[in-house]
Amino acid sequence: MVAWRRDGYNGEIRVTAQNLPTGVSADSVVIAPGQISCTLVLRAADNAPAGMSRLTVTGTGRLGKEEVVRTARPATMIWADQLTGVTYSRSRLA
């Protein structure tokens, strides 16, 4: 998970996943102050049935006394330009 911190926000962000398929779980994780990313691990039980779900991932932080929740959006990475062979990274919303 990557957080684009804006307007100088440097507080903790708790990341959680909801609407997981049956038999799938994920512990909430924290993007610590001064960090921009963390790893969210999804685990499927050995007996989890095949299925699909519209997963929702949220980040929760505090702005003063107010709790603020933002829904994550999917993104992709581009790692190389195959025409020129130049390696670089660039992200975009998917």
Side-chain angles (χ1 to χ4, degrees), residues 13-59:
I13 301 170
R14 179 158 302 279
V15 179
T16 57
Q18 299 89 28
N19 303 324
L20 297 168
T22 301
V24 177
S25 63
D27 293 333
S28 64
V29 292
V30 172
I31 300 176
Q35 301 295 312
I36 63 165
S37 66
C38 69
T39 301
L40 178 66
V41 177
L42 303 178
R43 288 179 305 283
D46 290 339
N47 62 348
M52 293 189 305
S53 178
R54 185 174 284 260
L55 171 70
T56 302
V57 177
T58 58

Side-chain angles (χ1 to χ4, degrees), residues 2 7 14 20 25 34 36 38 57 60 62-63 67 70 74 81-82:
V2 175
D7 302 322
R14 179 158 302 279
L20 297 168
S25 63
I36 63 165
C38 69
V57 177
T60 304
R62 296 200 77 75
L63 289 175
E67 183 175 83
R70 299 284 187 260
D81 182 336
Q82 294 182 3

Side-chain angles (χ1 to χ4, degrees), residues 3-10 63 70 73:
W4 300 116
R5 294 179 178 271
R6 296 184 180 167
D7 302 322
Y9 180 74
N10 196 34
L63 289 175
R70 299 284 187 260
R73 300 185 334 187

